[in-house]
Amino acid sequence: MKNLLSGGRLALLLLCFAGFALYGMYYNSFGANAEVTMAYLGIDEVRNGAIMSVQSVGCLAVAVFLGLFGERLNKILALAVGLGLLGAAGLCIGLMPWLAGGSYALMLGFSLVAGLGFISIDLLTNSVVADVFQGNKNRVLPYVHAFYGGGAMLAPVFVTALVSPERPESFALPYLIIGMAALAAAAALAVTGVRIRGGTPYADMSEIRRRARQNPAEIFKESRAWLFLLSGFMNLAFQTGLTTWLPRYCSEVRDIGFTASGLMVTAYFTGALVMRLLSPLAYAKLGVRRFYRGSLLTSAVLYVLFLLLPMPYWAAAGVIGVMGLLQGATVPTLVIICCDAFPERTASASSIIVFGVSLASLASPVLMGRIMQDSPQAAMLSITACTVIAALSLPRSK
């Protein structure tokens, strides 16, 4: 633990925390900002969902590239590049009302760049933690993901504080602030990565690249890898669909106001943040596999109750908060399980989960957006099966 919290490693860890917090804020601002974004760009639910789908095209490209070639990179410096891409995209979107007007095509283009950036943060941070903090990864990784949860929890409050339905152009302000912060974090991470390289596994890149050239797609030949992919896809199809469209559902079906609808997502991520902090204790009590399956199956039951039973706002927010508590650590848990299954290929193992995340982000928001036009209730119910499939498709350990 002393080595974990000393010098350059402490700076690296803090910057990983910052990167994941910014990633969480960027990604989860989308749902709370959906109504105002649609008004500014003059688009409907399907075209709004397509913004996330375009982001996911960039995510898929990065997941494939890093899955095959990520082991050859100095992952700390590559992570700085990912943060820089997210920052540049956020800055460009933030400046659109002043420089480019309401161009849907530009929004798609900048979102594609953002997808390249934030999925690089996701995949490479997981891999950096597994490589640099190897002996402590089961403790450190949930804490890193907790900062994603913190950013996600703050995102609706952050958006509703800056954005007003009466001023559609205000949709850009959250992007502008996140973009500038991400660029600053990227610069700090690049400097840190150069300074501490000698004390990390990336000191001898020639040896790393020699090993990585030997069958880079090795893990994808195992059936376990594809089951991990299915589980990650189904898990994130639910979570992405829920966080993207929950504010809209609450507004249309439950007649809840704009700010209060956004706070439902905050309730979800508040629960998620708590569980990410507590998950190392849960792993010790239950084991990572039992924890993963049990959390998903229990949250599916709660979600059905939330959708089908009438309840006051405080009770609905409480149910959503408990769902966040149950699901909050499922992604880092799956990353840990996958990295343990393929310990020599941490970037490739992480890319399996990220690939599932990307596919879910590509499909879930736009498909749900299409169903939302006809029946918000059916759209929200349709993703219930995803959590069950995610739990049951987890492969057995060897």
Side-chain angles (χ1 to χ4, degrees), residues 284-316:
K285 293 283 186 181
L286 300 174
V288 289
R289 290 174 173 274
R290 187 181 298 173
F291 172 79
Y292 182 75
R293 287 196 177 102
S295 295
L296 289 174
L297 293 174
T298 307
S299 65
V301 174
L302 281 178
Y303 182 59
V304 172
L305 294 176
F306 164 77
L307 292 176
L308 298 183
L309 296 181
M311 57 185 73
Y313 177 81
W314 64 266

Side-chain angles (χ1 to χ4, degrees), residues 69-230:
F69 306 109
E71 305 298 344
R72 305 184 189 188
L73 304 175
N74 181 321
K75 295 170 193 173
I76 298 173
L77 297 183
L79 177 57
V81 172
L83 261 171
L85 288 173
L86 177 65
L91 188 65
C92 289
I93 295 171
L95 294 174
M96 277 180 60
W98 293 273
L99 301 179
S103 171
Y104 180 63
L106 277 179
M107 183 68 181
L108 291 178
F110 296 147
S111 296
L112 176 65
V113 176
L116 295 172
F118 69 64
I119 215 65
S120 297
I121 295 169
D122 195 333
L123 195 157
L124 290 166
T125 302
N126 292 329
S127 191
V128 165
V129 169
D131 288 347
V132 178
F133 307 103
Q134 188 173 18
N136 293 285
K137 75 176 186 300
N138 284 18
R139 187 193 314 176
V140 174
L141 194 59
Y143 292 153
V144 173
H145 280 257
F147 278 82
Y148 175 91
M153 180 186 72
L154 291 173
V157 178
F158 177 64
V159 169
T160 54
L162 294 173
V163 172
S164 170
E166 288 75 35
R167 295 185 299 109
E169 70 279 3
S170 64
F171 94 98
L173 290 175
Y175 291 104
L176 181 64
I177 294 171
I178 292 170
M180 291 189 294
L183 287 172
L189 185 59
V191 172
T192 300
V194 171
R195 287 182 175 177
I196 70 169
R197 181 168 54 191
T200 70
Y202 316 123
D204 185 359
M205 293 304 300
S206 60
E207 175 60 19
I208 290 174
R209 287 167 184 152
R210 185 192 65 79
R211 292 198 311 267
R213 289 190 188 100
Q214 299 171 4
N215 200 3
E218 179 182 8
I219 70 171
F220 298 99
K221 295 178 180 179
E222 294 196 32
S223 60
R224 290 184 301 160
W226 298 100
L227 289 172
F228 281 126
L229 174 61
L230 176 61

Side-chain angles (χ1 to χ4, degrees), residues 17 20-21 141-155 239 265-280 291 320-330 332:
F17 289 163
F20 249 57
L141 194 59
Y143 292 153
V144 173
H145 280 257
F147 278 82
Y148 175 91
M153 180 186 72
L154 291 173
Q239 292 195 41
V265 179
T266 297
Y268 178 87
F269 284 111
T270 300
L273 176 60
V274 172
M275 180 51 74
R276 284 175 179 172
L277 295 172
L278 296 178
S279 56
F291 172 79
I320 292 297
V322 174
M323 281 179 56
L325 183 73
L326 289 166
Q327 291 204 324
T330 55

